[in-house]
Amino acid sequence: MRSPRRCSRNGCPRQAVATLTYVYNESTAVVGPLAAFAEPHTYDLCEQHARSLTAPRGWDVVRHEGEFEPPPPTTDDLVALAEAVREAARPVAPRPPQDDQTSHPQNQNPPTGRRGHLRVIPPNH
């Protein structure tokens, strides 16, 4: 499951409830409800930072007047959670025992396994 989006301000651990967008050609900062998707050149803000945002001198701030509320979970979040639970509950199939001498002749190195970004390197014999 995706974790909730966090405030873009450094060191702020709170959940984002608003999106800040700068309109440079109009010298305006717009603070509105949290966008459905994180977009480049926008900033997610918690309620405290959304309410207290100030703009540079000569700029205007357009701020949403209603309540900032966290978005409800999406069906994608619920499906991802259900798949994670199913995966965790799935039993792991036991590996059949292998005889090292028959599966790896003396003149060859045993195969290495790979899982994600990690590699399993067998010990030297």
Side-chain angles (χ1 to χ4, degrees):
M1 184 167 93
R2 294 182 315 207
S3 61
R5 286 161 42 194
R6 298 284 173 204
C7 184
S8 296
R9 297 291 297 262
N10 285 338
C12 183
R14 292 184 287 270
Q15 182 177 3
V17 295
T19 297
L20 166 64
T21 306
Y22 289 108
V23 183
Y24 293 98
N25 62 348
E26 295 180 19
S27 300
T28 304
V30 180
V31 180
L34 188 64
F37 300 99
E39 296 286 335
H41 310 295
T42 64
Y43 303 89
D44 294 337
L45 300 174
C46 65
E47 184 167 9
Q48 177 184 347
H49 287 122
R51 298 259 181 235
S52 65
L53 178 89
T54 59
R57 186 175 297 154
W59 282 57
D60 294 319
V61 176
V62 176
R63 196 180 322 267
H64 173 70
E65 292 297 326
E67 292 297 315
F68 290 115
E69 297 181 14
T74 65
T75 55
D76 290 345
D77 293 337
L78 298 176
V79 169
L81 177 60
E83 288 174 0
V85 169
R86 278 190 222 110
E87 181 69 27
R90 190 173 295 143
V92 177
R95 291 178 134 186
Q98 294 181 350
D99 181 16
D100 283 342
Q101 292 178 346
T102 59
S103 63
H104 309 299
Q106 291 292 77
N107 61 351
Q108 293 181 354
N109 292 330
T112 59
R114 185 161 177 86
R115 181 175 183 165
H117 65 283
L118 303 176
R119 279 190 317 165
V120 177
I121 301 174
N124 293 333
H125 288 2

